[in-house]
Amino acid sequence: MFHWLEKNPFLFSVGVFIVIAFAGLIEILPNFAEAARPVVGLKPYTVLELAGKEVYKKDNCIACHSQLIRPFKAETDRYGQYSLSGEYAYDRPFLWGSKRTGPDLHRVGNYRTTDWHENHMWDPTSVVPGSIMPAYKHMFTNKADIETAYAEAVTVKTVFNTPYGDDIKPGREAWEAYKPKVIEEAKKIAADMKNQDVKDAVNRGEVPEIVALIAYLNRLK
Amino acid sequence: MQSNAALEYDYSVAKLFTITAILFGFVGMLIGTLIAAQLAFPELNYLLGEYGTFSRLRPLHTNVVIYGFTVSGVFATFYYLAQRVLKVSMAESKFIMFIGKLQFVLYMILAVSMVVTLLLGITANKEYAQMEWPLDLLTVVVWVLWGVAMFGLIGMRREKALYISMWYFIACFLGVAMLYLFNNMEVPTALVAGVGSMMHSVSMYAGTNDALVQWWWGHNAVAFVFTVPIIAMIYYFLPKESGQAVYSYKLSLLSFWGLMFVYLWAGSHHLLWSTVPDWMQTMGSVFSVVLILPSWGSAINMLLTMKGEWNQLTENPLIKFMVLASTFYMLSTLEGPIQAIKSVNAIAHFTDWIPGHVHDGVLGWVAFMIMAGIMHMAPRMYKRELYSKKLVEAQFWLQTTAVVLYFTSMWIAGITQGMMWRAVDEYGNLMYSFIDTVTVLHPYYAIRALSGVLYLTGFLMFAYNIYKTATAGRKLENEPQFRTPMA
Amino acid sequence: MDIRELQGYASFFMTIFLVVMLYGYIIYLYRSEKKGEKDYEKLGNIAIDDEIDSTPVNTSDSVSSEKKEQNK
């Protein structure tokens, strides 16, 4: 009965494939439609926030920080309301993380402010003695790639119907027209910061990574 | 015996991948040791400016040890042992030889681009799938070439029955192909928007779905990269080195199907207490526990293969490596399911117990097996005796100590941290601020860094030993049949 | 029938099916060995006797016990 399986490498491979593919099909596919639904009132990330998310990804904060509050009292006491599936509807990729060397950040926007982050990212130990988080001074000089962030907004709007306004559309002209809005948003963040170089850069129409990152962190609520 | 004595196995591709395995093994473990030390001594974050922080280096460490070291090891042993168990030589087909070499060249290009892009922070940021889309495409090409070589060799085989190792290699090929494709579905943004960087993409899946697909991949990458091909290795190298056929071939066949069936279900144990549906979490938990059966089936089969021959354990250091490897395999396949029990997971998840668990698998099982395999292959590939038995012995003890230090320190660290996060005083208030739970770990992080240094030293001894074998080992007249000769 | 239900049935029956197959395979293994059609344990020798010019352990399906090489 199983003779063919042992004799024919091709049929064998088909057999292996069916056995291993089956779990995935049953387990993952049916859940898709449901879990993708956003919670009521969830807004897509602004372009500046997306740029900040890119900084978060680039410097791989996920290596030490989770964004997933589990439904235990100890966690909700520490970080706030436990996480809901629909809150992640616009997270591509998801950034739950798998390691908490540092605290969870899913609702960090509720209890930390722009100036706190500014000091902390410049030198964590100056804010929290004993911290082992690296200082990210280079974020104060490196420029965030807001153009690519815009491209991401256009992509998720076009391909996945993420509800952005009509001013987000493909092409260089559309981007040039949109750019001032991003700078405006950045200026609001920079206004609460004290680093003069950062303020100057924003006034010149550039967005240092730290500004975008803080916009993103403030949005995590 | 037939009379085509002129024909020999051709190890040129196996040799190439052996070299990359050693090279990437060294680089990956060096970075690993550095980032371990950074957690104990944060000043070490600033050695390389922006490129030297823990967070930038951590994916580099994982990717280099997985896709550099382990995957090279898999290819090297494949190109060595597939010929032998199929009884065909690569030299018999120019085409397959060409495919093998092409695969190597593209693989090198891929590996180098991976290192560069990750250092620059160009990443898709899904764990163990960080490479951006152009590299993903190249990965597919490399993988397909491997498949062509594999099925090409199978098509030419003289040995009609496929040895169990080949079953596992085929499963590795298919499993990784399927999972990789699904998990890395992404849309390049520059192509849609016409502006922005070419090296950026967004995942096809969002939020919880992305998490499901990602851990379906993440977990099964462990299955199909760290388990399946490594079992393929031990099923060949242990019998060959000891001269003892597998204890029960039937058990090996059954464990194979058991593993294939059960492993894929267990992925959601990475997402316990998260926002994925409850029944899926439960499924992940239950199947993780069932998974002990096929895993132990293979491991016990290996240990029993040595039945009546345990004296070899004291005489032959390579046997030591392999027996310890299967023991660590048993340890980590027991530990994993324990962590997948929901109540244990509530404490263990997000803590250092998880890296602890990973490393008794990868240091104790994967790397031990790959190094043992290379030490077995080197004398046969270079036709020289292994350069120094003393070095192998010393390496063995050094690295075993390192693994033990690693997982014991991380067990303690993880459980301490997990308990402190949830500790409350008599009024129900949290007892510790987060930073308390960080500083308390310092001694354990320091021990882990030390264990990294020990393991790395052992690896350097190994690399030196292989280098010396290839260049200065005593020449061998005949290929050794079983036990690897060493000076 | 909504998708959840379908999912439940599919997973249930597929699991049963695969378990039956697995047990069927065990029975098949032992039975074919008992009947003398196959000798699985012999296949273990593929790893041990793997010179390019050694006789393949398994060229055809049936056990040809007289040809069986002793190589331990």
Side-chain angles (χ1 to χ4, degrees), chain A residues 59 85 92 135-136 147-148 152 171, chain B residues 46 55 193 196-197 200 204 207-208:
Chain A
D59 266 306
S85 186
R92 291 170 195 273
Y136 286 97
E147 184 178 321
T148 301
E152 177 168 334
Chain B
Y46 314 112
S55 49
S197 160
H200 183 64
M204 283 273 279
T208 305

Side-chain angles (χ1 to χ4, degrees), chain C residues 47-70:
Chain C
I48 308 235
D49 181 19
D50 60 350
E51 298 310 316
I52 193 147
D53 47 8
S54 50
T55 322
V57 173
N58 195 347
T59 34
S60 65
D61 298 334
S62 58
V63 185
S64 33
S65 38
E66 59 280 354
K67 267 203 293 182
K68 199 170 165 187
E69 246 187 312
Q70 209 57 45

Side-chain angles (χ1 to χ4, degrees), chain B residues 261-279:
Chain B
F261 175 48
V262 178
Y263 222 121
L264 273 282
W265 284 100
S268 45
H269 67 210
H270 291 261
L271 302 170
L272 299 180
W273 302 109
S274 75
T275 62
V276 308
D278 274 343
W279 73 272

Side-chain angles (χ1 to χ4, degrees), chain A residues 55 57-60 136 138 142 209, chain B residues 27 31 34-35 38 45 47-61 63-64 110-124 130-132 135 199:
Chain A
V55 178
K57 283 166 61 185
K58 178 178 171 197
D59 266 306
N60 200 39
Y136 286 97
H138 61 261
N142 284 1
E209 286 184 333
Chain B
V27 175
I31 302 174
L34 173 62
I35 62 178
Q38 283 174 341
N45 274 298
L47 298 177
L48 299 167
E50 164 183 357
Y51 309 104
T53 57
F54 174 86
S55 49
R56 201 62 84 75
L57 291 180
R58 200 257 181 184
L60 198 62
H61 163 63
N63 280 281
V64 172
L110 176 63
V112 172
S113 340
M114 174 183 87
V115 170
V116 173
T117 51
L118 287 180
L119 266 181
L120 291 176
I122 300 171
T123 159
Q130 275 100 347
M131 287 187 272
E132 263 298 353
L135 303 195
M199 292 296 284

Side-chain angles (χ1 to χ4, degrees), chain A residues 73-75 77-78, chain B residues 418-432:
Chain A
K73 183 166 183 307
E75 300 222 340
D77 281 2
R78 197 183 288 280
Chain B
M419 299 305 279
M420 282 176 83
W421 284 341
R422 56 158 57 192
V424 286
D425 63 15
E426 52 198 306
Y427 307 108
N429 298 321
L430 293 173
M431 282 218 310
Y432 302 100

Side-chain angles (χ1 to χ4, degrees), chain A residues 53-68 91 93-105 136 213 216-217, chain B residues 54-56 58-59 62 123-128 130 210 214-215 350:
Chain A
K53 189 151 81 73
E54 274 323 298
V55 178
Y56 191 90
K57 283 166 61 185
K58 178 178 171 197
D59 266 306
N60 200 39
C61 311
I62 201 177
C64 290
H65 289 287
S66 60
Q67 288 190 25
L68 177 78
D91 281 12
F94 78 116
L95 295 171
W96 295 0
S98 56
K99 182 72 180 61
R100 269 186 201 153
T101 306
D104 191 276
L105 297 180
Y136 286 97
L213 179 73
Y216 173 65
L217 291 175
Chain B
F54 174 86
S55 49
R56 201 62 84 75
R58 200 257 181 184
T62 54
T123 159
N125 218 253
K126 293 219 247 178
E127 284 181 273
Y128 319 110
Q130 275 100 347
D210 200 36
Q214 157 64 21
W215 284 113
F350 290 135

